[in-house]
């Protein structure tokens, strides 16, 4: 009954897996290991330059030398960005998914509308909201002025720019989380709702004791994707503020130090390792808590 036959044919699946495994080792695992190695050296972005082992000097310089205050600020911004995006994006996505799951007229149209920002691309999204938030002639500023008699600088504001970037991030990727929740909602057996209706449960009780426990795997997936995506985001910051006005994050610092900073590659490599460890810590804790909740429910 083995689908690939006997003899040498049994090894065909393993041979086919060698191609993606080789690509993974060359383009993912290999560069990741080299990044860890570079973080302990003084390697420069110059072909043929020498490389010397410097131990933990790059990590020390990262947090305690030079512009270390900006590093700590970028770490704080990253954590704020991650927490707000993860909570708000998943909360809004779940609310929208529950509404669409009610078999509203034109529900497929609403799915397309909410998912559209995901496929637009960062450059297009930044251009759209750059025009919407234009301090001089943007429609949002006109609305602010008409309703509240107030005007804002939006992406040029030291106090509000980071909040607007968080809003754009949530607006762009909320549709992706919504589809995952919607898939989970549509897999819930309808007879459970009917049984709950016979027992006299309210809509809130039905959601709390039937819907939410059964879509726990979808919630886990969305939480992990939101955490990893938020802590790795730099493109929307690059396209809107270019890191100005207190909007720098760890991912943006890695990009800036690597491609637009000095020729030193050890420091951005060390920052990449620190970023990976922080993401790993949050992902491990989140997975543990989510899996524990799934088992309990």
């Amino acid at each position: 009954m083995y689908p690939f036959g006997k003899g040498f044919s049994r090894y065909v699946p393993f041979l086919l897996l060698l191609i993606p495994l080789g690509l993974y080792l060359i383009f993912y695992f290999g560069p990741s290991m080299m990044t860890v190695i570079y973080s302990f050296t003084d390697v420069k972005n110059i072909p043929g330059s020498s490389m010397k082992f410097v131990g933990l000097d790059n990590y020390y310089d990262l947090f305690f030398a030079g512009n270390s205050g900006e590093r700590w600020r970028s770490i704080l911004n990253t954590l704020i960005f991650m927490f707000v995006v993860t909570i708000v994006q998943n909360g809004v996505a779940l609310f929208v998914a529950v509404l669409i799951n009610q078999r509203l007229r034109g529900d497929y149209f609403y799915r397309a509308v909410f998912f559209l920002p995901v496929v637009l691309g960062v450059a297009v999204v930044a251009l759209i909201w750059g025009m919407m938030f234009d301090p001089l002639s943007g429609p949002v500023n006109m609305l602010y002025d008409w309703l509240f008699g107030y005007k804002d600088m939006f992406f040029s504001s030291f106090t509000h720019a980071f909040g607007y970037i968080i809003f754009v991030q949530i607006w762009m990727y909320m549709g992706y989380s919504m589809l995952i929740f919607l898939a989970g909602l549509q897999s819930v057996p309808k007879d459970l709702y009917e049984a709950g209706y016979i027992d006299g449960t309210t809509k809130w009780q039905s959601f709390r004791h039937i819907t939410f426990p059964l879509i726990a795997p979808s919630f886990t997936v969305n939480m992990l994707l939101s955490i990893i995506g938020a802590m790795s985001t730099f493109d929307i910051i690059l396209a809107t503020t270019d890191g100005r006005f207190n909007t720098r994050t760890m991912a943006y610092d890695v990009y800036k130090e690597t491609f637009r900073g000095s020729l030193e590659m050890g420091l951005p490599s060390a920052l990449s390792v620190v970023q990976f460890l922080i993401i790993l810590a949050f992902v491990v804790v989140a997975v543990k808590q989510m899996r524990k909740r799934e088992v309990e429910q």
Side-chain angles (χ1 to χ4, degrees):
M1 298 300 293
Y2 189 69
F4 289 92
K6 299 180 180 180
F8 180 78
S9 299
R10 298 178 64 88
Y11 299 100
V12 171
F14 301 100
L15 294 177
L16 294 176
L17 288 174
L18 288 178
I19 297 176
L21 178 61
L23 294 175
Y24 172 80
L25 293 175
I26 294 173
F27 295 105
Y28 287 92
F29 184 78
S32 298
M33 291 299 100
M34 291 305 299
T35 299
V36 176
I37 295 173
Y38 285 162
S39 69
F40 298 103
T41 67
D42 63 349
V43 62
K44 295 178 175 59
N45 192 18
I46 302 176
S49 61
S50 60
M51 183 174 64
K52 184 175 66 176
F53 180 77
V54 296
L56 297 175
D57 287 356
N58 289 321
Y59 293 92
Y60 178 84
D61 293 342
L62 193 65
F63 296 110
F64 303 106
N67 57 350
S68 59
E70 296 182 2
R71 307 292 184 201
W72 289 107
R73 178 64 185 176
S74 68
I75 293 176
L76 178 62
N77 284 344
T78 303
L79 296 178
I80 294 174
F81 192 87
M82 183 268 294
F83 278 112
V84 176
V85 168
T86 300
I87 294 173
V88 177
Q89 178 176 311
N90 285 285
V92 174
L94 179 58
F95 177 75
V96 173
V98 170
L99 290 180
I100 294 179
N101 195 50
Q102 303 300 315
R103 303 298 181 185
L104 300 176
R105 177 178 297 180
D107 56 342
Y108 287 99
F109 171 76
Y110 294 127
R111 295 184 198 185
V113 169
F114 285 115
F115 190 75
L116 180 61
V118 179
V119 300
L120 287 179
V122 174
V124 176
V125 169
L127 180 62
I128 291 173
W129 285 105
M131 293 187 295
M132 293 289 291
F133 288 151
D134 188 282
L136 298 177
S137 59
V140 178
N141 228 357
M142 294 181 181
L143 182 63
Y144 280 5
D145 188 25
W146 180 61
L147 292 178
F148 311 109
Y150 163 80
K151 291 187 177 181
D152 203 343
M153 294 299 294
F154 298 105
F155 292 134
S156 300
S157 170
F158 278 95
T159 55
H160 300 150
F162 195 60
Y164 287 116
I165 291 177
I166 292 176
F167 166 79
V168 174
Q169 173 81 4
I170 294 171
W171 178 85
M172 183 174 181
Y173 292 106
M174 185 277 294
Y176 192 86
S177 302
M178 177 206 68
L179 284 186
I180 296 177
F181 279 130
L182 194 58
L185 289 169
Q186 292 180 347
S187 66
V188 178
K190 298 297 185 293
D191 54 352
L192 294 179
Y193 294 115
E194 295 174 0
Y197 177 76
I198 295 174
D199 290 338
T201 58
T202 63
K203 290 185 177 181
W204 168 247
Q205 290 173 333
S206 177
F207 175 80
R208 179 181 178 184
H209 298 290
I210 298 176
T211 305
F212 195 73
L214 292 178
I215 65 170
S218 300
F219 197 83
T220 301
V221 171
N222 271 330
M223 288 288 290
L224 295 181
L225 293 177
S226 299
I227 291 173
I228 296 173
M231 297 195 71
S232 304
T233 296
F234 80 94
D235 44 9
I236 194 66
I237 298 173
L238 176 66
T240 52
T241 64
D242 197 17
R244 301 186 299 271
F245 312 112
N246 296 327
T247 60
R248 292 172 55 175
T249 61
M250 295 183 67
Y252 177 84
D253 281 350
V254 171
Y255 163 79
K256 183 179 179 181
E257 293 291 342
T258 304
F259 298 104
R260 297 165 59 183
S262 64
L263 297 177
E264 298 288 342
M265 297 298 292
L267 189 65
S269 297
L271 184 59
S272 298
V273 173
V274 173
Q275 180 188 7
F276 167 76
L277 293 177
I278 294 177
I279 293 175
L280 180 64
F282 277 101
V283 167
V284 169
V285 173
V287 169
K288 183 178 179 180
Q289 294 299 320
M290 294 296 106
R291 293 300 184 187
K292 180 181 178 182
R293 191 196 64 190
E294 290 178 20
V295 172
E296 291 176 350
Q297 293 177 345

